[in-house]
Amino acid sequence: MREQWDSRTAFVLAAIGSAIGLGNVWRFPYICFKYGGGAFLIPYFVALLTAGIPLMILEFSLGHKMASGAPTSFAKAGRGKEWIGWFALLVAFGIVSYYAVIMGWCFNYFGYSFNLSWGDATKDFFYNKFLTISEGPFKFGGIKPFIMLTLFISWIAIVGCVWRGPKTVSKVVYVTVLLPWLILIIFVIRGLTLPGAVKGLSYYLTPNFAALRDIEVWRNAYGQVFYSLSIGFGIMIAYASYLPKKSDIVSNALIISLADAGTAFFAGLAVFSTLGYYSYTQGVAVPDVVEKSIGLAFIVYPTIINLLPFAGKLFGALFFLMLLTLAIDSAFSLMEAGMAGIMDKWKVKKRWAINIGFGAIAFFAGIIYTTRAGLYWIDIVDHFMQNFGLMTVVLVECIFLGYMFKLSVLKEHCNALSDIRVGKWWDICIKFITPLVLILLLVFLIIEKIKGAYGGYSRGAEFLGGWLILIVFFIISIVLMKVRSRK
Ligand code: TRP
């Protein structure tokens, strides 16, 4: 019999753990601030309702009905469609290869917080002492041994968490989901009680409705919803395949999606109230200190930790521990999805061997990010995987399941199990709204790329870190589909 979760709670926590990750803590608050503050919640909820939740229900239904990981689920749904599952897993692999590196940085910074080793010039420390970043993507300048070591530790931890599959995961998630929530609550309380907090929050939430006319805003809302909910990565398909025969699908999908969105919003309170404090003590405006993504955690937060009136070191250590526990269950969810894909197709018995093999390949793939040029490559790969990789997977998924397969089969399966039933609107979201929005967004992205290489990098770097990886992933997916399975 197929392996199963220990309980419904274990499943819900595991899926929430996958969804809640680094993306919630700095990406959501940052995007919200940049694209309209409080008004951004509108496109965000539209995206959540028209795309996020319907697709989560779709992936759960598919995985549960077919009782297999993503590749085999797609293969069972239609001839020659197995590659969609592999491609989804590979894109997720592209993401986790650098995600684990950022986890490694968190390990480093966790250690640094015990004596605030970053000093006063946190920006200089991050770029010039910690990463010793080179002048450009092709100036590799050697590996940073400490970062490579912590990358190695990350992978050992990830492999350990999925050692016996859902059995191990069922236990681990109680820690990796509940602990960061607890720490986040501490940070919200700490943030709101600091002077200047209100000013920070007003930047976060003051609505700017004019922003809603900008297509860029909508693109970010949809992108954030998919990325954050771990949809289009084959993860939710694999996780649902471990559910017992009788399991409510719709209410699980609702709980998980709302918990993810709620956590993102809540994290914004912690981040922006603290930024308000920073602006208050330093006499700078809040928008000037908000840095996109990575810098926020490794530059702005260390500065704030330096400034805290008491227990700075403790809060520092807690902060990086929170990031670590947030990230690890997203990382191992992908690994579990990959394992399901391999084990379902080739019926391998030696789980430990694939565990170690998978971890080793992912570790070696990540070494490029531990060089002095690593940050550039993280930036490029992240952009392409998240935008082109993820959006294509979701688009193909909608088109295939919506048009070349009887969507009603999945709908009946889902409705037979769920208390809340899905109706016509669900079909409309999957067949029309989501694909249309995605096609529009992809067209815009492509036009943007024709105009100039991403982020001002050279075309060569853009090709290697972006297009080439996507092409190679596509070819590998086709090859994996063609390889005969063992019955
Ligand atoms: N959901 C995660 C977050 O919000 C990101 C994520 C999606 C991810 N898919 C992944 C991370 C696959 C690692 C592997 O941060």
Side-chain angles (χ1 to χ4, degrees):
M1 203 185 80
R2 194 170 182 79
E3 300 159 282
Q4 280 189 5
W5 298 106
D6 285 357
S7 63
R8 177 176 177 189
T9 318
F11 162 73
V12 170
L13 282 181
I16 290 181
S18 171
I20 301 178
L22 300 176
N24 297 59
V25 177
W26 65 63
R27 208 160 168 273
F28 176 83
Y30 165 77
I31 292 183
C32 186
F33 155 77
K34 183 168 171 200
Y35 297 112
F40 181 75
L41 297 176
I42 298 171
Y44 184 76
F45 272 101
V46 171
L48 193 68
L49 293 177
T50 60
I53 296 174
L55 273 146
M56 174 96 66
I57 296 174
L58 180 73
E59 292 204 346
F60 279 171
S61 309
L62 181 70
H64 190 253
K65 173 152 181 73
M66 306 302 177
S68 322
T72 308
S73 287
F74 277 105
K76 284 183 183 167
R79 262 184 73 108
K81 298 299 182 300
E82 188 184 317
W83 69 273
I84 305 174
W86 290 116
F87 189 67
L89 288 176
L90 285 164
V91 169
F93 180 83
I95 293 180
V96 83
S97 69
Y98 68 79
Y99 211 78
V101 178
I102 301 179
M103 276 176 63
W105 297 353
C106 294
F107 273 116
N108 283 305
Y109 267 70
F110 177 73
Y112 292 153
S113 38
F114 287 95
N115 44 11
L116 306 179
S117 349
W118 45 67
D120 290 330
T122 51
K123 188 165 185 171
D124 181 56
F125 180 85
F126 179 65
Y127 287 117
N128 300 325
K129 301 219 167 67
F130 178 61
L131 298 178
T132 42
I133 190 162
S134 66
E135 296 83 52
F138 290 110
K139 301 241 171 9
F140 291 104
I143 288 169
K144 300 284 295 178
F146 242 107
I147 302 184
M148 194 165 101
L149 180 72
T150 47
L151 174 63
F152 188 70
I153 299 175
S154 300
W155 276 107
I156 295 198
I158 297 170
V159 171
C161 289
V162 297
W163 193 250
R164 286 178 190 281
K167 283 272 157 290
T168 322
V169 174
S170 288
K171 304 199 168 61
V172 172
V173 287
Y174 281 91
V175 179
T176 59
V177 178
L178 300 181
L179 185 65
W181 263 344
L182 192 75
I183 304 180
L184 191 58
I185 294 174
I186 297 177
F187 269 97
V188 172
I189 298 173
R190 174 77 277 226
L192 293 178
T193 51
L194 286 167
V198 176
K199 201 162 141 225
L201 290 183
S202 82
Y203 272 106
Y204 176 34
L205 296 173
T206 305
N208 165 16
F209 290 100
L212 302 189
R213 270 173 288 178
D214 188 357
I215 177 119
E216 184 70 22
V217 173
W218 290 87
R219 186 174 97 206
N220 275 285
Y222 276 84
Q224 174 67 14
V225 163
F226 294 136
Y227 180 80
S228 189
L229 291 181
S230 299
I231 280 171
F233 297 101
I235 294 173
M236 294 305 177
I237 298 177
Y239 271 13
S241 75
Y242 298 132
L243 278 169
K245 283 229 155 18
K246 280 199 163 68
S247 314
D248 193 310
I249 289 183
V250 178
S251 62
N252 280 342
L254 282 173
I255 295 171
I256 294 159
S257 313
L258 295 177
D260 180 65
T263 308
F265 181 75
F266 198 62
L269 297 182
V271 169
F272 273 82
S273 57
T274 330
L275 289 178
Y277 172 67
Y278 179 82
S279 113
Y280 168 85
T281 51
Q282 302 304 91
V284 282
V286 176
D288 296 340
V289 289
V290 187
E291 277 207 51
K292 191 187 167 190
S293 69
I294 294 162
L296 187 64
F298 296 98
I299 299 171
V300 182
Y301 249 81
T303 312
I304 294 169
I305 291 161
N306 286 340
L307 294 171
L308 285 182
F310 66 90
K313 291 174 185 165
L314 175 69
F315 281 111
L318 273 180
F319 179 71
F320 290 106
L321 183 67
M322 175 178 82
L323 291 189
L324 272 171
T325 46
L326 277 173
I328 195 166
D329 39 18
S330 302
F332 70 61
S333 68
L334 175 262
M335 175 142 177
E336 192 45 51
M339 300 291 284
I342 297 169
M343 305 215 322
D344 287 339
K345 176 148 182 178
W346 290 289
K347 312 269 182 268
V348 226
K349 289 278 175 311
K350 289 194 189 117
R351 189 180 173 107
W352 64 269
I354 324 176
N355 270 335
I356 293 173
F358 191 113
I361 295 175
F363 168 71
F364 283 113
I367 287 184
I368 182 158
Y369 309 113
T370 68
T371 64
R372 290 180 47 201
L375 188 61
Y376 299 118
W377 293 104
I378 292 185
D379 188 22
I380 300 174
V381 175
D382 175 59
H383 178 80
F384 276 82
M385 292 300 128
Q386 254 194 62
N387 289 292
F388 290 101
L390 181 54
M391 291 202 184
T392 339
V393 173
V394 180
L395 180 63
V396 175
E397 192 173 338
C398 287
I399 292 178
F400 167 53
L401 294 175
Y403 293 92
M404 295 144 113
F405 178 81
K406 282 208 189 76
L407 199 54
S408 55
V409 173
L410 292 180
K411 188 160 146 184
E412 275 157 26
H413 180 79
C414 165
N415 281 344
L417 294 165
S418 308
D419 286 338
I420 309 170
R421 289 154 175 268
V422 293
K424 248 207 134 29
W425 63 270
W426 186 70
D427 301 69
I428 296 173
C429 289
I430 288 164
K431 285 178 136 170
F432 304 105
I433 303 181
T434 308
L436 246 146
V437 173
L438 285 172
I439 290 173
L440 264 177
L441 298 180
L442 276 168
V443 169
F444 271 91
L445 262 174
I446 290 172
I447 295 176
E448 205 181 273
K449 290 295 157 312
I450 293 172
K451 283 196 201 140
Y454 166 68
Y457 294 103
S458 68
R459 285 285 185 193
E462 182 193 50
F463 178 72
L464 283 180
W467 303 117
L468 184 66
I469 299 187
L470 289 171
I471 296 168
V472 170
F473 280 177
F474 180 69
I475 296 173
I476 300 179
S477 323
I478 302 285
V479 172
L480 285 172
M481 173 170 79
K482 299 279 179 209
V483 178
R484 291 252 303 283
S485 62
R486 267 228 309 267
K487 286 283 177 287

